Short mmCIF file of all heavy atoms in Angstrom, two decimals:
data_model
loop_
_atom_site.label_atom_id
_atom_site.label_comp_id
_atom_site.label_asym_id
_atom_site.label_seq_id
_atom_site.Cartn_x
_atom_site.Cartn_y
_atom_site.Cartn_z
N ALA A 169 -6.98 -32.16 -17.55
CA ALA A 169 -8.29 -31.75 -17.11
C ALA A 169 -9.09 -31.11 -18.24
O ALA A 169 -10.27 -31.46 -18.46
CB ALA A 169 -8.17 -30.79 -15.94
N ASP A 170 -8.54 -30.17 -18.93
CA ASP A 170 -9.25 -29.45 -19.96
C ASP A 170 -8.40 -28.87 -21.10
O ASP A 170 -8.88 -28.10 -21.93
CB ASP A 170 -10.07 -28.30 -19.30
CG ASP A 170 -9.17 -27.14 -18.74
OD1 ASP A 170 -7.92 -27.29 -18.82
OD2 ASP A 170 -9.68 -26.15 -18.23
N LEU A 171 -7.15 -29.28 -21.21
CA LEU A 171 -6.24 -28.84 -22.22
C LEU A 171 -5.86 -27.36 -22.04
O LEU A 171 -4.71 -27.03 -21.99
CB LEU A 171 -6.78 -29.02 -23.66
CG LEU A 171 -7.04 -30.46 -24.11
CD1 LEU A 171 -7.52 -30.47 -25.56
CD2 LEU A 171 -5.83 -31.31 -23.94
N HIS A 172 -6.84 -26.48 -22.00
CA HIS A 172 -6.56 -25.05 -21.74
C HIS A 172 -7.85 -24.32 -21.40
O HIS A 172 -8.96 -24.85 -21.66
CB HIS A 172 -5.93 -24.36 -23.02
CG HIS A 172 -6.84 -24.35 -24.18
ND1 HIS A 172 -7.69 -23.31 -24.39
CD2 HIS A 172 -6.97 -25.14 -25.23
CE1 HIS A 172 -8.40 -23.49 -25.51
NE2 HIS A 172 -7.95 -24.66 -26.06
N THR A 173 -7.72 -23.21 -20.79
CA THR A 173 -8.85 -22.34 -20.53
C THR A 173 -9.42 -21.65 -21.74
O THR A 173 -8.60 -21.43 -22.69
CB THR A 173 -8.46 -21.31 -19.44
OG1 THR A 173 -8.13 -22.00 -18.24
CG2 THR A 173 -9.61 -20.30 -19.19
N SER A 174 -10.66 -21.35 -21.83
CA SER A 174 -11.32 -20.79 -22.97
C SER A 174 -10.50 -19.66 -23.62
O SER A 174 -10.13 -18.65 -22.99
CB SER A 174 -12.67 -20.17 -22.57
OG SER A 174 -13.14 -19.32 -23.54
N THR A 175 -10.14 -19.88 -24.91
CA THR A 175 -9.31 -18.89 -25.65
C THR A 175 -9.99 -17.56 -25.77
O THR A 175 -9.38 -16.52 -25.47
CB THR A 175 -8.95 -19.41 -27.02
OG1 THR A 175 -8.45 -20.72 -26.90
CG2 THR A 175 -7.95 -18.51 -27.71
N VAL A 176 -11.25 -17.53 -26.18
CA VAL A 176 -11.94 -16.26 -26.43
C VAL A 176 -12.09 -15.53 -25.11
O VAL A 176 -11.97 -14.26 -25.04
CB VAL A 176 -13.27 -16.53 -27.10
CG1 VAL A 176 -14.26 -17.28 -26.20
CG2 VAL A 176 -13.92 -15.15 -27.49
N ASP A 177 -12.33 -16.17 -23.99
CA ASP A 177 -12.45 -15.51 -22.65
C ASP A 177 -11.12 -14.85 -22.26
O ASP A 177 -11.05 -13.76 -21.73
CB ASP A 177 -12.96 -16.43 -21.63
CG ASP A 177 -14.43 -16.79 -21.87
OD1 ASP A 177 -15.15 -16.04 -22.48
OD2 ASP A 177 -14.82 -17.89 -21.43
N GLN A 178 -10.05 -15.61 -22.54
CA GLN A 178 -8.75 -15.14 -22.13
C GLN A 178 -8.40 -13.87 -22.97
O GLN A 178 -7.86 -12.88 -22.44
CB GLN A 178 -7.65 -16.15 -22.41
CG GLN A 178 -7.65 -17.31 -21.45
CD GLN A 178 -6.40 -18.15 -21.64
OE1 GLN A 178 -5.28 -17.72 -21.38
NE2 GLN A 178 -6.63 -19.37 -22.15
N LEU A 179 -8.62 -13.93 -24.27
CA LEU A 179 -8.32 -12.79 -25.12
C LEU A 179 -9.18 -11.57 -24.87
O LEU A 179 -8.71 -10.48 -24.89
CB LEU A 179 -8.42 -13.17 -26.60
CG LEU A 179 -7.43 -14.26 -27.07
CD1 LEU A 179 -7.66 -14.54 -28.57
CD2 LEU A 179 -5.97 -13.82 -26.80
N ALA A 180 -10.45 -11.86 -24.51
CA ALA A 180 -11.32 -10.72 -24.13
C ALA A 180 -10.79 -10.07 -22.86
O ALA A 180 -10.76 -8.82 -22.78
CB ALA A 180 -12.80 -11.21 -24.00
N ALA A 181 -10.39 -10.87 -21.89
CA ALA A 181 -9.93 -10.36 -20.66
C ALA A 181 -8.63 -9.50 -20.89
O ALA A 181 -8.43 -8.44 -20.34
CB ALA A 181 -9.69 -11.39 -19.63
N ALA A 182 -7.78 -10.01 -21.72
CA ALA A 182 -6.53 -9.28 -22.08
C ALA A 182 -6.83 -7.99 -22.76
O ALA A 182 -6.21 -6.90 -22.47
CB ALA A 182 -5.63 -10.13 -22.93
N HIS A 183 -7.78 -7.95 -23.73
CA HIS A 183 -8.19 -6.69 -24.33
C HIS A 183 -8.78 -5.78 -23.33
O HIS A 183 -8.54 -4.57 -23.34
CB HIS A 183 -9.15 -6.97 -25.49
CG HIS A 183 -8.55 -7.47 -26.73
ND1 HIS A 183 -7.85 -6.63 -27.59
CD2 HIS A 183 -8.47 -8.71 -27.26
CE1 HIS A 183 -7.35 -7.34 -28.61
NE2 HIS A 183 -7.77 -8.54 -28.49
N TYR A 184 -9.54 -6.27 -22.43
CA TYR A 184 -10.18 -5.42 -21.35
C TYR A 184 -9.12 -4.77 -20.49
O TYR A 184 -9.23 -3.57 -20.29
CB TYR A 184 -11.14 -6.30 -20.54
CG TYR A 184 -11.87 -5.47 -19.51
CD1 TYR A 184 -13.08 -4.86 -19.80
CD2 TYR A 184 -11.41 -5.45 -18.20
CE1 TYR A 184 -13.79 -4.15 -18.86
CE2 TYR A 184 -12.09 -4.67 -17.25
CZ TYR A 184 -13.28 -4.04 -17.61
OH TYR A 184 -13.92 -3.28 -16.60
N LEU A 185 -8.18 -5.55 -20.09
CA LEU A 185 -7.13 -5.00 -19.21
C LEU A 185 -6.23 -4.01 -19.90
O LEU A 185 -5.72 -3.10 -19.31
CB LEU A 185 -6.25 -6.17 -18.68
CG LEU A 185 -6.95 -7.10 -17.69
CD1 LEU A 185 -6.14 -8.34 -17.40
CD2 LEU A 185 -7.21 -6.35 -16.40
N ALA A 186 -6.14 -4.11 -21.23
CA ALA A 186 -5.37 -3.20 -22.04
C ALA A 186 -6.14 -1.93 -22.31
O ALA A 186 -5.50 -0.80 -22.43
CB ALA A 186 -4.93 -3.82 -23.38
N ALA A 187 -7.48 -1.99 -22.36
CA ALA A 187 -8.26 -0.79 -22.73
C ALA A 187 -8.86 -0.07 -21.58
O ALA A 187 -9.24 1.12 -21.67
CB ALA A 187 -9.34 -1.30 -23.71
N VAL A 188 -9.12 -0.76 -20.44
CA VAL A 188 -9.85 -0.20 -19.35
C VAL A 188 -8.96 -0.11 -18.10
O VAL A 188 -8.03 -0.97 -17.89
CB VAL A 188 -11.07 -1.10 -19.01
CG1 VAL A 188 -11.78 -0.70 -17.77
CG2 VAL A 188 -12.00 -1.17 -20.19
N ASP A 189 -9.13 0.91 -17.34
CA ASP A 189 -8.41 1.06 -16.05
C ASP A 189 -9.16 0.18 -15.03
O ASP A 189 -10.11 0.60 -14.39
CB ASP A 189 -8.44 2.52 -15.64
CG ASP A 189 -7.61 2.77 -14.35
OD1 ASP A 189 -7.29 1.81 -13.68
OD2 ASP A 189 -7.33 3.93 -14.04
N LEU A 190 -8.70 -1.03 -14.86
CA LEU A 190 -9.33 -1.96 -13.93
C LEU A 190 -9.30 -1.48 -12.47
O LEU A 190 -10.26 -1.65 -11.73
CB LEU A 190 -8.70 -3.35 -14.00
CG LEU A 190 -9.30 -4.42 -13.08
CD1 LEU A 190 -10.79 -4.57 -13.38
CD2 LEU A 190 -8.54 -5.70 -13.18
N ASP A 191 -8.22 -0.81 -12.12
CA ASP A 191 -8.13 -0.23 -10.78
C ASP A 191 -9.21 0.78 -10.54
O ASP A 191 -9.76 0.85 -9.37
CB ASP A 191 -6.74 0.32 -10.51
CG ASP A 191 -5.68 -0.74 -10.45
OD1 ASP A 191 -6.00 -1.81 -10.02
OD2 ASP A 191 -4.51 -0.41 -10.87
N ALA A 192 -9.52 1.57 -11.54
CA ALA A 192 -10.57 2.57 -11.34
C ALA A 192 -11.98 1.82 -11.18
O ALA A 192 -12.81 2.28 -10.39
CB ALA A 192 -10.65 3.52 -12.54
N HIS A 193 -12.17 0.79 -11.97
CA HIS A 193 -13.40 0.04 -11.83
C HIS A 193 -13.48 -0.63 -10.45
O HIS A 193 -14.54 -0.56 -9.76
CB HIS A 193 -13.49 -1.06 -12.86
CG HIS A 193 -14.62 -2.01 -12.70
ND1 HIS A 193 -15.95 -1.64 -12.85
CD2 HIS A 193 -14.64 -3.35 -12.38
CE1 HIS A 193 -16.70 -2.66 -12.66
NE2 HIS A 193 -15.94 -3.70 -12.35
N ILE A 194 -12.35 -1.18 -9.94
CA ILE A 194 -12.31 -1.78 -8.62
C ILE A 194 -12.61 -0.72 -7.57
O ILE A 194 -13.27 -0.98 -6.58
CB ILE A 194 -10.97 -2.43 -8.42
CG1 ILE A 194 -10.80 -3.63 -9.29
CG2 ILE A 194 -10.82 -2.87 -6.92
CD1 ILE A 194 -9.44 -4.30 -9.25
N ALA A 195 -12.17 0.48 -7.79
CA ALA A 195 -12.42 1.58 -6.80
C ALA A 195 -13.98 1.83 -6.69
O ALA A 195 -14.49 2.09 -5.59
CB ALA A 195 -11.68 2.85 -7.18
N THR A 196 -14.62 1.79 -7.84
CA THR A 196 -16.07 1.94 -7.86
C THR A 196 -16.74 0.85 -7.09
O THR A 196 -17.71 1.03 -6.27
CB THR A 196 -16.62 2.00 -9.30
OG1 THR A 196 -16.03 3.09 -9.92
CG2 THR A 196 -18.11 2.12 -9.35
N VAL A 197 -16.31 -0.37 -7.37
CA VAL A 197 -16.86 -1.54 -6.64
C VAL A 197 -16.58 -1.48 -5.17
O VAL A 197 -17.51 -1.74 -4.34
CB VAL A 197 -16.25 -2.81 -7.22
CG1 VAL A 197 -16.68 -4.07 -6.42
CG2 VAL A 197 -16.64 -3.03 -8.71
N ARG A 198 -15.41 -1.06 -4.76
CA ARG A 198 -15.07 -0.89 -3.31
C ARG A 198 -15.99 0.09 -2.67
O ARG A 198 -16.48 -0.16 -1.52
CB ARG A 198 -13.58 -0.43 -3.20
CG ARG A 198 -12.54 -1.46 -3.43
CD ARG A 198 -11.23 -0.75 -3.40
NE ARG A 198 -10.10 -1.66 -3.42
CZ ARG A 198 -8.79 -1.27 -3.58
NH1 ARG A 198 -8.60 -0.01 -3.83
NH2 ARG A 198 -7.83 -2.18 -3.57
N THR A 199 -16.25 1.20 -3.33
CA THR A 199 -17.11 2.20 -2.71
C THR A 199 -18.51 1.66 -2.44
O THR A 199 -19.06 1.86 -1.36
CB THR A 199 -17.19 3.44 -3.63
OG1 THR A 199 -15.94 4.00 -3.81
CG2 THR A 199 -18.17 4.46 -3.08
N ALA A 200 -19.08 0.96 -3.40
CA ALA A 200 -20.40 0.35 -3.25
C ALA A 200 -20.41 -0.73 -2.17
O ALA A 200 -21.29 -0.77 -1.31
CB ALA A 200 -20.84 -0.25 -4.57
N TYR A 201 -19.37 -1.57 -2.11
CA TYR A 201 -19.30 -2.65 -1.19
C TYR A 201 -19.11 -2.11 0.24
O TYR A 201 -19.64 -2.65 1.26
CB TYR A 201 -18.29 -3.67 -1.58
CG TYR A 201 -18.62 -4.54 -2.75
CD1 TYR A 201 -17.66 -5.44 -3.28
CD2 TYR A 201 -19.88 -4.49 -3.36
CE1 TYR A 201 -17.95 -6.23 -4.30
CE2 TYR A 201 -20.17 -5.31 -4.45
CZ TYR A 201 -19.24 -6.16 -4.92
OH TYR A 201 -19.50 -6.95 -5.98
N ARG A 202 -18.30 -1.08 0.33
CA ARG A 202 -18.11 -0.47 1.68
C ARG A 202 -19.34 0.04 2.24
O ARG A 202 -19.69 -0.14 3.37
CB ARG A 202 -17.06 0.63 1.62
CG ARG A 202 -16.74 1.31 2.97
CD ARG A 202 -15.87 2.52 2.78
NE ARG A 202 -14.61 2.23 2.17
CZ ARG A 202 -14.26 2.66 0.97
NH1 ARG A 202 -15.08 3.39 0.26
NH2 ARG A 202 -13.06 2.31 0.48
N GLU A 203 -20.17 0.68 1.41
CA GLU A 203 -21.47 1.21 1.86
C GLU A 203 -22.41 0.02 2.27
O GLU A 203 -23.11 0.14 3.32
CB GLU A 203 -22.16 2.02 0.75
CG GLU A 203 -23.45 2.60 1.09
CD GLU A 203 -24.07 3.38 -0.04
OE1 GLU A 203 -23.56 3.35 -1.22
OE2 GLU A 203 -25.14 4.04 0.16
N ARG A 204 -22.36 -1.07 1.56
CA ARG A 204 -23.18 -2.19 1.90
C ARG A 204 -22.67 -2.90 3.20
O ARG A 204 -23.47 -3.35 4.01
CB ARG A 204 -23.18 -3.15 0.71
CG ARG A 204 -23.87 -2.55 -0.51
CD ARG A 204 -23.78 -3.38 -1.77
NE ARG A 204 -24.32 -2.61 -2.93
CZ ARG A 204 -24.79 -3.08 -3.98
NH1 ARG A 204 -24.77 -4.40 -4.20
NH2 ARG A 204 -25.22 -2.34 -5.02
N ARG A 205 -21.37 -3.00 3.30
CA ARG A 205 -20.84 -3.55 4.55
C ARG A 205 -21.27 -2.74 5.75
O ARG A 205 -21.73 -3.30 6.83
CB ARG A 205 -19.31 -3.59 4.53
CG ARG A 205 -18.68 -4.14 5.79
CD ARG A 205 -17.27 -3.65 5.98
NE ARG A 205 -17.16 -2.22 6.13
CZ ARG A 205 -16.07 -1.56 6.46
NH1 ARG A 205 -14.93 -2.25 6.55
NH2 ARG A 205 -16.05 -0.26 6.60
N ASP A 206 -21.22 -1.42 5.64
CA ASP A 206 -21.56 -0.50 6.74
C ASP A 206 -23.06 -0.60 6.97
O ASP A 206 -23.47 -0.52 8.19
CB ASP A 206 -21.14 0.89 6.40
CG ASP A 206 -19.58 1.09 6.38
OD1 ASP A 206 -18.90 0.18 6.82
OD2 ASP A 206 -19.17 2.12 5.85
N ALA A 207 -23.87 -0.80 5.96
CA ALA A 207 -25.30 -0.93 6.14
C ALA A 207 -25.57 -2.16 6.96
O ALA A 207 -26.46 -2.20 7.84
CB ALA A 207 -26.02 -0.95 4.81
N LEU A 208 -24.88 -3.24 6.67
CA LEU A 208 -25.07 -4.49 7.39
C LEU A 208 -24.63 -4.34 8.87
O LEU A 208 -25.34 -4.75 9.76
CB LEU A 208 -24.22 -5.60 6.69
CG LEU A 208 -24.30 -6.99 7.40
CD1 LEU A 208 -25.71 -7.53 7.49
CD2 LEU A 208 -23.38 -8.05 6.68
N GLN A 209 -23.48 -3.70 9.04
CA GLN A 209 -23.10 -3.45 10.46
C GLN A 209 -24.07 -2.62 11.21
O GLN A 209 -24.41 -2.97 12.34
CB GLN A 209 -21.68 -2.76 10.42
CG GLN A 209 -20.56 -3.61 9.85
CD GLN A 209 -20.10 -4.66 10.82
OE1 GLN A 209 -20.05 -4.50 12.01
NE2 GLN A 209 -19.70 -5.84 10.27
N SER A 210 -24.55 -1.60 10.65
CA SER A 210 -25.51 -0.73 11.29
C SER A 210 -26.77 -1.43 11.61
O SER A 210 -27.35 -1.40 12.73
CB SER A 210 -25.79 0.50 10.41
OG SER A 210 -26.70 1.34 11.03
N ALA A 211 -27.28 -2.26 10.65
CA ALA A 211 -28.51 -2.99 10.86
C ALA A 211 -28.33 -4.08 11.94
O ALA A 211 -29.25 -4.26 12.75
CB ALA A 211 -29.00 -3.59 9.52
N LEU A 212 -27.23 -4.74 11.90
CA LEU A 212 -27.01 -5.76 12.99
C LEU A 212 -26.94 -5.09 14.36
O LEU A 212 -27.50 -5.67 15.34
CB LEU A 212 -25.66 -6.48 12.69
CG LEU A 212 -25.61 -7.41 11.49
CD1 LEU A 212 -24.18 -7.86 11.22
CD2 LEU A 212 -26.55 -8.58 11.57
N SER A 213 -26.37 -3.95 14.50
CA SER A 213 -26.25 -3.29 15.72
C SER A 213 -27.58 -2.83 16.25
O SER A 213 -27.91 -2.96 17.46
CB SER A 213 -25.36 -2.02 15.66
OG SER A 213 -24.03 -2.40 15.32
N ARG A 214 -28.47 -2.48 15.39
CA ARG A 214 -29.85 -2.01 15.79
C ARG A 214 -30.78 -3.15 16.05
O ARG A 214 -31.71 -3.06 16.80
CB ARG A 214 -30.46 -1.14 14.70
CG ARG A 214 -29.78 0.19 14.46
CD ARG A 214 -30.67 1.08 13.63
NE ARG A 214 -31.11 0.48 12.35
CZ ARG A 214 -30.43 0.51 11.27
NH1 ARG A 214 -29.25 1.20 11.21
NH2 ARG A 214 -30.88 -0.06 10.19
N THR A 215 -30.53 -4.33 15.43
CA THR A 215 -31.53 -5.38 15.36
C THR A 215 -31.26 -6.58 16.22
O THR A 215 -32.17 -7.11 16.85
CB THR A 215 -31.73 -5.84 13.93
OG1 THR A 215 -31.96 -4.71 13.08
CG2 THR A 215 -32.86 -6.81 13.78
#
């Protein structure tokens, strides 16, 4: 299909995972998405 996935993207992702707390970033994303999910639920209930 493609011999291999992009080398530079793989290495960047590996460096990112070594240098950054991905779980902490995911926690930030979860907080934002939870608020948006709840906004959708509230709006659907009212509308």
Side-chain angles (χ1 to χ4, degrees):
D170 66 357
L171 296 182
H172 65 87
T173 295
S174 164
T175 309
V176 64
D177 292 332
Q178 289 189 67
L179 295 182
H183 281 285
Y184 183 84
L185 291 169
V188 174
D189 185 346
L190 179 59
D191 291 329
H193 173 68
I194 293 172
T196 300
V197 173
R198 284 173 171 169
T199 298
Y201 287 175
R202 182 187 300 111
E203 183 181 6
R204 296 174 188 203
R205 180 205 63 174
D206 293 347
L208 178 59
Q209 293 285 324
S210 178
L212 292 172
S213 298
R214 294 193 308 270
T215 306

